[in-house]
Amino acid sequence: MQRYDLRHLGDDFYGRMLEIIDESALGEVSIFMFEIGDFSPVQKSADVIKEAGWTLMNSLKFNETDWTIVVKKVKSEVA
């Protein structure tokens, strides 16, 4: 399990997040932290993970300005 701080990318972290997942081993769990902003990155990150076919295990508020998601590199069972 690895944790990645993507807050420095602002709301342009989606490509980097997918790049990290693509480079990880099958079955690997990754934790990503990013800035909430207007909350749109929260839903978009979930959508991006779903579209890529990976499993979003958890999504929660870390503090007043940051959010974390936990992603497992296994194909999602939800269509």
Side-chain angles (χ1 to χ4, degrees):
M1 183 180 316
Q2 293 285 328
R3 190 184 103 179
Y4 302 94
D5 187 346
L6 304 179
R7 292 178 290 181
H8 65 282
L9 298 174
D11 63 353
D12 191 29
F13 65 92
Y14 309 103
R16 180 64 181 133
M17 179 177 64
L18 288 176
E19 182 181 308
I20 290 168
I21 296 169
D22 288 344
E23 293 172 354
S24 66
L26 195 60
E28 181 71 33
V29 174
S30 302
I31 301 170
F32 298 97
M33 182 180 290
F34 57 89
E35 290 182 0
I36 296 171
D38 65 356
F39 282 92
S40 61
V42 175
Q43 184 60 53
K44 186 172 179 181
S45 64
D47 294 342
V48 166
I49 295 301
K50 182 178 179 182
E51 289 171 12
W54 306 124
T55 300
L56 179 63
M57 298 178 67
N58 205 341
S59 176
L60 47 99
K61 190 174 183 179
F62 183 74
N63 59 33
E64 291 300 315
T65 60
D66 305 315
W67 200 271
T68 59
I69 61 171
V70 181
V71 178
K72 188 168 186 178
K73 188 175 180 179
V74 293
K75 290 296 180 181
S76 175
E77 296 178 14
V78 177

